[in-house]
Amino acid sequence: MLLPSLAVRPDVAEARARILIVFDEDKDFPGLATINRSLRETFTTGLGGEVEFYSESLNLSQFPGPDHEGVLRDHFRRKYAAVSLDLIVAVMDPSVEFLLRHRALFARVPIVLCGAERADLQGKTLGADLTGVVMKREYAPTLELALKLHPDTRNVFVVGGASKFDRRIQTIARRDFAPFETRVAITYLTGLPMGDLLATLSRLPPNSVIVHLSLFADSAGFTLTPHDALSQVAQAANAPVYAAVDQYIGRGAVGGHVYSFDTHGQHAAEIGLRILRGESAARIPIAQPDAHTDLFDWRQLQRWGIDE
């Protein structure tokens, strides 16, 4: 059924569609792995299997130095010099920024952004051949949910890391949590080495809850795997942990009003399919679909005595 629409693009119809997916970090991180799987499944189904994937990870948290970008630029230039790509999916804002700064590497190849936020795009010249889906990070509903489940809460401890991405997430959380400061005491545990953080979380005062943001690096400069860091936090903590993205549910967090990366990846791929079938990226507005849901880990409900 897809062949007639693909015929609009002879270069795609006569050969397999070639799609490059660019990640800011290791694509095996659970959130990115979920997006990767969702993208590939949606593209493969929509194209009847006639697709060839290329994948790159910028690994920005492991290589934060100023020379890394030049290394990446040269790597992309040499590696893809003879590859005729049909579409690029840029996963998360740092990937979008990199591709925009080095647009000449893939001139005229449409880009679908995925995982960035609308605020990240402000002030940037995106070009007519870039579209996609943006996500909305929000932490207030998760804290509201936690306070409803634990009405005697007096202290909220917010856990975050020291990487550039961690600090950006903390800015959003501080904005979202400001209205709660008249109801509970909020402490931000965002400037500690991992060992000190875990020790602190093991002796929190009674009637406390924890909201976990992200931990890509601690204040000592050690790079962390975010989902493993969450598991360490949940294991050490003497208070329930809540999170706002689905990758953390099942790894020690009780639950939260979480953003679904699986749904987000599917939406991005659907836009990519429209482009591969001949629709101009310039005529497809950037979308912000709602992908939030309340999600809980039954085992953690039992651990903390929370009524289902």
Side-chain angles (χ1 to χ4, degrees), residues 77 98-108:
R77 178 182 293 119
F98 174 81
L99 291 168
L100 289 177
R101 284 194 297 269
H102 305 287
R103 194 68 182 96
L105 291 172
F106 303 105
R108 297 183 300 278

Side-chain angles (χ1 to χ4, degrees), residues 4-26:
S5 56
L6 283 173
V8 178
R9 286 280 305 277
D11 55 323
V12 178
E14 294 173 3
R16 310 182 88 188
R18 293 178 174 179
I19 301 173
L20 170 62
I21 307 175
V22 181
F23 300 90
D24 60 335
E25 300 290 351
D26 192 324

Side-chain angles (χ1 to χ4, degrees), residues 53-90:
F53 291 107
Y54 298 82
S55 180
E56 298 288 343
S57 298
L58 304 183
N59 296 115
L60 297 179
S61 64
Q62 290 182 308
F63 300 96
D67 298 332
H68 183 53
E69 179 152 337
V71 172
L72 288 172
R73 179 198 60 223
D74 294 341
H75 164 76
F76 275 84
R77 178 182 293 119
R78 291 194 298 267
K79 186 172 182 178
Y80 293 96
V83 179
S84 179
L85 296 171
D86 298 296
L87 187 74
I88 299 173
V89 181

